[in-house]
Amino acid sequence: MPTNRLRRRVSGLSHLPFRVFVLYACLPSISRAFVGGTMSKFPTFLQTYCHKFTKISLNMPAAARILSPASVIEAKENGIEEDDDAFDWWKQWYPVALTRDIDGAVPTKVMLLGRDLVLWREGTAADAKKGAVRTWRCFVDRCPHRLAPLSEGRIDTRTGHLQCAYHGWEFSGSGQCSKIPQTDPETDQGGAGALRSRRACATSLPTLEAQGMIWVWPDTSKEGVEASKAVKPTLMKDVDEKEMSYLVVCRDMPYGFDTLLENGIDPSHLPFAHHNIISNRNQAAYIDTQVDKIWKGGFDSNQFYPKRGRKPSLPPISVSEQNSLTKDKHADAHRMADCINELSERFPDRPIAPPTVRVPQSLHFRPPTLLYQVINVTAIFDKIPFLPKRERLIRIVTYAVPVAPGRSRVIYRFLRNYFLPPFSWMRWPPEWIQHQRILRVLDSDTVFLHGQERERALLSPSAAADVDRCYFMPTAADGSVRALRKWLARFGGPRWLVPDLSSLPPTPDRRTLLDRYESHTKSCKICRGALRNLKRLRQLIGFMSVMAFYLGLLGQSVYTRLAGGFFTVLGITGSVVIKRFEERFYFQPWDHGRN
């Protein structure tokens, strides 16, 4: 039967029982299609019904199931390395918070993959003084007694256990219930019977601390907990602690983690979206992006930027052509001059693009969350005569954490192995000022990405999952974006990657969309301390201004009155300037039309 005739018949019978019957009859084929990645062979309208009325469990907790995208692009057609094993999003380590931003004395609520969690630190202050290690723990934010949130509880100062503030139940680091105050000691032998019950235990998640971040393993099954011991988190290698702590920013974003990753690997938006912040519109140019391969462990790509200036009259030799024509197919910046000379002799009638030595830039995606870019600036610093000759690298690291549909958390690290101050207080500008600059960069992206995600949600599931149907990307600059979407289409993702506008939170007003206090300042130790100090400084300047005013008012000489008036005006001006700095911790308006 043709698809359009079948569509009319099904739409005419709009009763819910009939649709459920059709889906029940086709359920075995649909299940195999979801798992095997051939759902695109079904008609589009049937795909939509499948996503509305079916939830297929793929070996994961029932509380938060995952679905693969409706349309899975064939691997061979897109240069994706063959791999029959699907990527299990639950059997992975996720960085949920920065260690320095979490107060170990109180429970802290976080969210991961749509589940509310609570972070807390087991042990007491007395144990820490004795040299005992206080371990970070993570529970599902639900007390087994009456399902109250454990994040509203407290840590008992005597036992070091997490106490539910609703009825006083206490839990050890393993989730075992250690105290039930309401039990009758005569009938229940001090609560031993209830304490031994598995139903009295809190749900504990594997947790570890590495590179200044708290990592959580979301799979709580017995097999998942065992698997967490063999899998290592996606950490940055060959980086010392001093380099890792140079600049770190964490912020909650009002769009999904796949949209966050897509924006992070897009180099062509920098001159326009971040004009007068970190780039300039006049710097826009052709970008040659080369993707090595797409495999289950992610993908690697290289980006090359040509010299700005006069356009050549003949078609230039592209970067990919240069690498294929030269003997060394992976010529770096140090050998590029010799390669250009060789190509100039072999092709005298064609210009070489780019005609100058390039700064090598490589981009790497490691699922589920890690995206990092390596910029080699050795050639630039080697030209300075008094500096020692050694490799100098800049690493821009982004962890995109999937929080919930339409929500994500970004952990941004800026690393470099040169010009590092010996002490943090010697850093200039201060870290909180650098945080404000990064927040401005994120704000200028948010106004685009929040709307972009909702436009993708309006498309059919098959069109949204196919990057070439969803986007029109005719240039090489979008090569990394295409590679990311192909990876997600091949290996799947959390269920909210299947676009559904009803699952996304409503679009807030602009002030809420660009809010900084709730999304960053409130939970950032650096910015929270800077805001507190600025308020104290403003109060001190205000008090001194009042004193200067009365000094000038009561002064006997002209000079005393002039001095009092001068310091009064100076204090008022300083208070206004500091007040404007304080406002940046809460909200800063952004308008691309006026930038």
Side-chain angles (χ1 to χ4, degrees), residues 68 210 255 266 356:
S68 298
Y255 43 82
D266 174 24
T356 58

Side-chain angles (χ1 to χ4, degrees), residues 220-531:
T220 58
S221 64
K222 184 178 180 180
E223 296 79 8
V225 174
E226 289 297 324
S228 67
K229 302 176 182 179
V231 179
K232 296 182 179 180
T234 51
L235 302 174
M236 289 298 297
K237 300 179 180 179
D238 302 326
V239 179
D240 57 27
E241 182 178 357
K242 183 178 179 181
E243 184 178 347
M244 287 296 298
S245 61
Y246 179 71
L247 178 59
V248 188
V249 179
C250 180
R251 185 182 185 182
D252 292 331
M253 307 307 299
Y255 43 82
F257 91 110
D258 58 318
T259 305
L260 176 60
L261 284 173
E262 181 182 304
N263 181 72
I265 62 178
D266 174 24
S268 56
H269 82 285
L270 299 177
F272 298 95
H274 306 316
H275 175 68
N276 288 335
I277 305 177
I278 58 175
S279 187
N280 191 281
R281 296 189 186 100
N282 298 326
Q283 297 178 0
Y286 166 78
I287 302 175
D288 188 2
T289 302
Q290 303 172 7
V291 179
D292 293 341
K293 66 177 180 179
I294 306 174
W295 55 298
K296 184 179 179 181
F299 64 85
D300 303 308
S301 65
N302 296 280
Q303 300 168 354
F304 305 99
Y305 298 81
K307 178 182 178 181
R308 298 186 305 274
R310 181 177 59 86
K311 295 183 178 180
S313 56
L314 295 175
I317 301 176
S318 65
V319 175
S320 57
E321 256 186 299
Q322 293 178 31
N323 291 337
S324 62
L325 293 174
T326 54
K327 296 180 180 179
D328 188 353
K329 294 185 178 181
H330 299 284
D332 58 14
H334 295 285
R335 299 191 297 271
M336 186 52 62
D338 297 335
C339 297
I340 290 177
N341 293 335
E342 177 185 347
L343 293 175
S344 299
E345 294 176 359
R346 295 176 60 183
F347 304 94
D349 57 336
R350 294 179 65 186
I352 308 298
T356 58
V357 176
R358 305 165 298 177
V359 177
Q361 300 188 30
S362 61
L363 188 141
H364 312 271
F365 168 62
R366 297 293 179 265
T369 61
L370 176 60
L371 177 69
Y372 69 96
Q373 182 179 4
V374 181
I375 305 174
N376 193 326
V377 294
T378 305
I380 299 176
F381 284 93
D382 283 350
K383 298 179 180 179
I384 303 177
F386 60 86
L387 289 180
K389 306 298 182 181
R390 66 181 184 87
E391 187 179 41
R392 291 176 172 84
L393 302 175
I394 296 176
R395 295 182 178 92
I396 302 176
V397 183
T398 303
Y399 285 99
V401 184
V403 174
R407 294 174 58 190
S408 61
R409 180 175 299 109
V410 57
I411 299 179
Y412 174 88
R413 313 189 81 124
F414 181 85
L415 316 178
R416 69 185 188 191
N417 61 354
Y418 61 93
F419 295 162
L420 295 176
F423 304 101
S424 59
W425 56 268
M426 298 178 61
R427 181 181 305 167
W428 185 261
E431 188 171 359
W432 67 270
I433 293 182
Q434 298 182 16
H435 280 203
Q436 298 302 311
R437 185 182 184 186
I438 295 176
L439 293 180
R440 194 180 181 193
V441 172
L442 295 175
D443 285 344
S444 60
D445 282 332
T446 298
V447 295
F448 297 120
L449 302 181
H450 183 81
Q452 171 191 334
E453 185 174 56
R454 276 147 180 76
E455 288 298 321
R456 288 187 66 250
L458 294 176
L459 302 176
S460 64
S462 58
D466 189 342
V467 62
D468 291 314
R469 291 178 60 188
C470 183
Y471 302 143
F472 176 63
M473 300 183 294
T475 64
D478 296 317
S480 298
V481 175
R482 180 176 284 105
L484 174 66
R485 286 298 174 182
K486 286 182 178 180
W487 188 94
L488 291 172
R490 171 64 180 86
F491 298 105
R495 66 174 182 269
W496 55 81
L497 283 185
V498 181
D500 184 4
L501 193 61
S502 62
S503 65
L504 298 177
T507 300
D509 60 90
R510 199 173 186 86
R511 187 176 183 89
T512 305
L513 184 67
L514 302 180
D515 172 76
R516 292 184 176 184
Y517 184 79
E518 293 294 334
S519 63
H520 172 74
T521 306
K522 184 178 179 180
S523 58
C524 177
K525 180 180 179 181
I526 301 297
C527 291
R528 190 170 62 246
L531 178 60

Side-chain angles (χ1 to χ4, degrees), residues 72 168 185 198 214 216 224 252-253 259 290 449 478 533 557 560 578:
V72 180
R198 295 181 58 183
I214 301 176
V216 172
D252 292 331
M253 307 307 299
T259 305
Q290 303 172 7
L449 302 181
D478 296 317
N533 293 335
S557 63
T560 304
I578 294 176

Side-chain angles (χ1 to χ4, degrees), residues 83-103:
D83 196 333
D84 295 333
D85 297 332
F87 187 85
D88 194 336
W89 288 82
W90 290 92
K91 291 181 172 61
Q92 306 293 332
W93 288 102
Y94 293 89
V96 295
L98 297 177
T99 306
R100 72 178 186 187
D101 291 340
I102 303 297
D103 186 0

